[in-house]
């Protein structure tokens, strides 16, 4: 199942003509997971042809306006488009009051179920058949969460040659083995899945830092991420201001990527002061080579992992 | 003093890749008056190079999300930019609860005074030295206001030849006459302003319909507008649906322009269904020739009137 990551907004705090406010959309098959939802998201989704009718979960890092003000308009537009599928929204305390207050005064009716999950404890906050989402308290100026999307391992590769050699007839029994269950042959012999299949294949992991300065535990949280999306609001020369404001620099993001053994790092939440973000890229790449600075509508594909 | 009108958002209900949500910015000298403030306004202002530090009044037509969800982000960005000048916001009941509720949960401090004026009675809602803004209850599905910006008349043209002929020496006494006050000459003779000046010159008038179907009293309210900005959400073929939804068609907007003897009509709040808005333009122009359909960033200049 393909995963496509689309950066819908890559600015920090205030937008620019080139950068909308923060939002990262992960499309996995027919499902969408969105990390933060800054003002303008609904229009960015239209421009990215993302669609408003897919299964959707939104994860809000913290209750600053630039990360959350796109939600009411997104929900209202989905209702105007007669969306039917449920929307799940996760975020720190305040997200419920914000959404319910806004809906009450703006009087818009929803055409779909909306479930708001306030996150009080870090750890696993959502589990589906084949993935989980975990949250970790980060270190910003208000309570803020980092999120990790983690696919569960897939069963190993199936070897027809081995199955035939063991006398398993092609058909339903192959499917049972492929789903990881043993089968009993007409002969009475039992065949275990690992006799005909390779090692489990690991799932993909995407980590989103939200707004934060470096914090204890993030490296473990982000361990072995295939994609680490990390904020880098200010460049290294402004490290002191970044720390005061609860933000990270490119070098700090890149150090986290190195220590976490991430495969790829994408910097985002770029301050409006950088009309040209090359300085951020260069500072990070000195520490971690496979780095990019996100631009609005940058798309990355994460292929299935075969090992 | 120049007036420049910039259409920051021209879509209706939902944005499109070409149209942001409703907002019309009137820049008059160093002052800004904004009519409606849909999601995305702050970014549209950046793209239009409108500036965030000018004197500003915002007039909200009604409390639907697509007309008001740009406000919190606009105020927050102005605060991040250390704005000092006051912002005045006018709108129907609910605007105060919306803004105060949003600010409370998103915890953003303002660096400037914010005054919220809930409009309960139509008529003159704001008066400055040289203009007034009037409101009229329109006819939408929730309480909604149309607004008229009306400059006060300017003094007539000053004729130096006439002043000299009457023995008024050039200098301070000329200025007094130009400000519309009589002067007494050293000889004891009194000169009245109308002896040395032409007729008062009328001010400019801009009328913004907000979301509405045609309503009793609008023609009088919009009388002699130099610019009538009127919604035309749906084309004439959908007149029945337009009426149900409390909206207008191009012909209805154009008929209002004819009856009000407006100088120019600009249609806005264009439904997302019109990728090409020519159908709206053609329907209106059959009734009122000087019509345009707004596009995002369309700018019009309204010169001073010399009669």
């Amino acid at each position: 199942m393909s995963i496509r990551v689309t950066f819908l907004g890559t600015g920090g705090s205030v937008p620019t003509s080139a950068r909308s406010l923060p939002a990262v959309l992960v499309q996995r098959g027919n499902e969408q997971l969105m990390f933060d939802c800054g003002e303008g998201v609904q229009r960015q989704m239209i421009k990215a042809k993302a669609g408003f009718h897919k299964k959707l979960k939104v994860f809000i890092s913290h209750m600053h306006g630039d990360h959350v003000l796109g939600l009411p308009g997104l929900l209202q537009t989905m209702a105007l488009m007669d969306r039917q599928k449920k929307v799940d929204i996760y975020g720190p305390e305040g997200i419920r009051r914000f959404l319910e207050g806004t809906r009450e005064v703006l009087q818009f009716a929803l055409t779909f179920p909306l479930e708001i999950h306030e996150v009080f404890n870090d750890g696993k906050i959502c589990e589906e058949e084949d993935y989980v989402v975990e949250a970790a308290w980060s270190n910003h100026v208000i309570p803020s969460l980092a999120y990790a999307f983690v696919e569960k391992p897939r069963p190993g590769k199936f070897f027809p040659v081995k199955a035939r050699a063991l006398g398993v007839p092609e058909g339903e029994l192959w499917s049972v083995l492929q789903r990881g269950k043993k089968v009993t042959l007409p002969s009475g012999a039992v065949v275990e899945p690992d006799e005909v299949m390779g090692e489990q294949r690991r799932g993909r992991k995407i980590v989103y830092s939200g707004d934060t300065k470096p914090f204890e535990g993030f490296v473990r949280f982000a361990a072995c991420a295939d994609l680490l999306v990390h904020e880098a609001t200010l460049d290294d020369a402004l490290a002191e201001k970044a720390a005061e404001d609860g933000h990270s620099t490119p070098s700090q993001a890149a150090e986290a990527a190195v220590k976490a053994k991430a495969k790829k790092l994408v910097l985002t939440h770029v301050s409006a002061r950088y009309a040209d973000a090359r300085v951020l890229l260069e500072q990070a790449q000195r520490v971690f080579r496979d780095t990019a600075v996100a631009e609005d509508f940058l798309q990355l594909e994460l292929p299935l992992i075969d090992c």
Side-chain angles (χ1 to χ4, degrees), chain A:
Chain A
M1 195 182 297
S2 70
I3 290 183
R4 175 186 289 164
V5 180
T6 307
F7 290 80
L8 295 175
T10 60
S13 310
V14 300
T16 67
S17 58
R19 297 185 186 275
S20 192
L21 290 165
V24 180
L25 183 67
V26 174
Q27 301 223 44
R28 180 177 182 273
N30 281 318
E31 183 170 4
Q32 298 173 326
L33 298 96
M34 186 187 290
F35 296 92
D36 279 328
C37 189
E39 181 178 349
V41 158
Q42 57 168 322
R43 194 163 176 224
Q44 298 294 91
M45 285 181 75
I46 290 167
K47 290 185 177 180
K49 299 186 177 16
F52 290 111
H53 296 278
K54 298 192 174 91
K55 194 175 166 187
L56 172 65
K57 295 187 175 78
V58 181
F59 301 89
I60 299 296
S61 64
H62 65 297
M63 292 303 296
H64 274 163
D66 54 316
H67 290 253
V68 78
L69 278 166
L71 265 178
L74 176 64
L75 297 176
Q76 183 174 338
T77 285
M78 284 175 162
L80 287 169
M81 292 180 173
D82 199 29
R83 177 189 173 95
Q84 298 296 314
K85 286 203 182 78
K86 190 177 142 193
V87 174
D88 287 278
I89 297 178
Y90 298 79
E93 191 176 0
I95 184 73
R96 182 186 307 281
R97 198 154 39 103
F98 171 66
L99 286 171
E100 290 180 351
T102 308
R103 279 182 61 196
E104 187 263 326
V105 66
L106 299 180
Q107 298 173 48
F108 61 95
L110 296 181
T111 54
F112 52 89
L114 173 68
E115 196 167 340
I116 301 170
H117 311 258
E118 290 196 326
V119 177
F120 294 100
N121 300 304
D122 53 7
K124 187 167 71 186
I125 55 166
C126 141
E127 174 153 15
E128 296 283 335
E129 195 186 335
D130 49 3
Y131 68 84
V132 298
V133 176
E134 295 167 359
W137 291 112
S138 55
N139 192 356
H140 193 42
V141 293
I142 61 169
S144 193
L145 293 159
Y147 290 104
F149 162 83
V150 186
E151 281 181 329
K152 296 178 184 174
R154 290 182 300 138
K157 204 168 170 183
F158 180 78
F159 297 107
V161 172
K162 290 188 181 180
R164 284 198 190 95
L166 291 167
V168 188
E170 193 168 345
E172 176 56 21
L173 292 183
W174 283 25
S175 305
V176 175
L177 286 163
Q178 284 162 353
R179 290 198 298 270
K181 292 183 179 149
K182 65 182 178 187
V183 297
T184 306
L185 303 182
S187 67
V190 171
V191 177
E192 297 282 347
D194 61 8
E195 294 180 77
V196 296
M197 292 172 74
E199 293 280 300
Q200 270 195 341
R201 291 170 287 189
R202 66 180 193 81
R204 292 158 288 191
K205 179 172 177 177
I206 300 171
V207 173
Y208 177 72
S209 72
D211 282 15
T212 188
K213 56 184 168 186
F215 66 96
E216 179 82 28
F218 183 67
V219 165
R220 197 172 58 249
F221 184 72
C224 301
D226 298 285
L227 173 62
L228 171 55
V229 178
H230 202 293
E231 74 121 299
T233 308
L234 296 170
D235 79 283
D236 293 353
L238 296 171
E240 203 169 319
K241 178 167 169 52
E244 267 171 32
D245 297 349
H247 288 302
S248 296
T249 64
S251 291
Q252 290 168 341
E255 278 155 22
V258 169
K259 289 183 188 160
K261 301 194 199 315
K263 304 281 180 304
K264 185 171 184 63
L265 170 65
V266 177
L267 304 180
T268 191
H269 200 269
V270 174
S271 163
R273 72 182 71 201
Y274 304 107
D276 181 341
R278 262 178 299 185
V279 58
L280 304 176
L281 183 65
E282 286 163 8
Q283 291 174 356
Q285 281 186 331
R286 269 181 234 135
V287 180
F288 184 82
R289 194 185 154 82
D290 195 357
T291 302
V293 177
E295 294 172 6
D296 283 17
F297 304 115
L298 170 71
Q299 287 193 329
L300 302 175
E301 303 279 342
L302 268 66
L304 279 172
I305 297 166
D306 261 339
C307 61

